[in-house]
């Protein structure tokens, strides 16, 4: 599915993060260790595909958001399906749709998805009815993207 997104949305930097390949402009990852910031090791994360193991840019993820909102990828019916809270086999309502978290305690409806693996953390939050998408990407796995989202959202939505 991710590679279909690549073709449809034209995400030129989305690619597998093969550690053995020389990828131009690949960001170096860092980790916080005993209060010190250290360069993270090069780890093969390609085993995570398609649930991870990929690299891209904030611009490409923002373009992906735009394609979700303007129906380049999915129509209104499909959005409702993806962005509907699921029910467990014990009949409990979750805060998760199909690949997206669903906000419950906010004034404005939003959906999102977190990503993390060695060397990185990321968050994509989409406010579809406001036509706003916020993308946070970090080259350290100690970052808390949701903290940034909470700080930025009131500014962006006002």
């Amino acid at each position: 599915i991710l590679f279909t997104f690549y073709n449809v949305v034209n995400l030129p930097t989305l690619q597998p993060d093969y550690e053995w390949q020389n990828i131009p402009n690949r960001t170096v990852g860092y980790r916080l260790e005993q209060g010190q910031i250290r360069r993270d090791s090069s780890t093969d994360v390609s085993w995570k595909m398609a649930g991870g193991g990929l690299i891209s840019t904030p611009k490409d993820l923002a373009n992906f958001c735009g394609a979700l909102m303007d129906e380049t990828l999915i129509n209104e019916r499909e959005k409702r399906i993806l962005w509907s809270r699921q029910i467990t086999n014990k009949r409990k309502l979750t805060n998760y749709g199909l690949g997206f978290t669903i906000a419950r305690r906010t004034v404005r409806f939003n959906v999102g998805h977190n990503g993390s693996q060695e060397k990185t953390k990321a968050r994509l939050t989409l406010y579809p009815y406001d036509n706003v998408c916020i993308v946070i990407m970090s080259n350290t796995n100690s970052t808390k993207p949701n903290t940034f989202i909470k700080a930025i959202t009131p500014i962006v939505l006002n």
Side-chain angles (χ1 to χ4, degrees):
I1 291 175
L2 290 173
F3 293 104
T4 301
F5 293 164
Y6 173 86
N7 293 330
V8 171
V9 189
N10 190 22
L11 302 177
T13 63
L14 179 66
Q15 62 185 295
D17 187 14
Y18 295 131
E19 68 158 324
W20 58 87
Q21 285 185 343
N22 181 17
I23 299 173
N25 302 313
R26 177 190 289 172
T27 302
V28 173
Y30 294 91
R31 68 181 187 283
L32 186 61
E33 184 179 280
Q34 298 176 344
Q36 299 291 313
I37 296 173
R38 305 205 189 279
R39 187 176 178 146
D40 212 344
S41 60
S42 291
T43 305
D44 179 18
V45 292
S46 65
W47 63 269
K48 294 182 176 194
M49 285 195 248
L54 300 167
I55 58 174
S56 192
T57 65
K59 180 180 178 183
D60 282 347
L61 283 182
N63 287 340
F64 172 68
C65 274
L68 287 172
M69 287 188 284
D70 71 9
E71 300 188 17
T72 299
L73 289 177
I74 58 177
N75 62 36
E76 285 300 322
R77 180 184 159 279
E78 294 164 333
K79 289 178 194 180
R80 281 192 303 276
I81 293 168
L82 284 177
W83 300 340
S84 293
R85 294 168 62 195
Q86 299 298 295
I87 300 172
T88 69
N89 60 355
K90 294 183 179 180
R91 310 297 302 157
K92 289 196 174 215
L93 198 57
T94 70
N95 293 329
Y96 205 73
L98 300 178
F100 293 90
T101 55
I102 313 298
R104 283 188 44 198
R105 297 185 188 107
T106 60
V107 175
R108 291 181 161 112
F109 175 76
N110 69 81
V111 298
H113 191 83
N114 290 322
S116 70
Q117 60 190 36
E118 294 80 354
K119 305 180 274 189
T120 187
K121 277 203 177 177
R123 173 74 184 175
L124 176 148
T125 299
L126 174 62
Y127 292 84
Y129 304 123
D130 295 291
N131 205 31
V132 169
C133 179
I134 302 172
V135 174
I136 303 292
M137 297 177 85
S138 172
N139 63 333
T140 175
N141 60 10
S142 60
T143 300
K144 294 181 171 66
N146 286 336
T147 302
F148 288 98
I149 296 287
K150 287 177 185 176
I152 292 168
T153 298
I155 298 165
V156 172
L157 292 179
N158 282 335

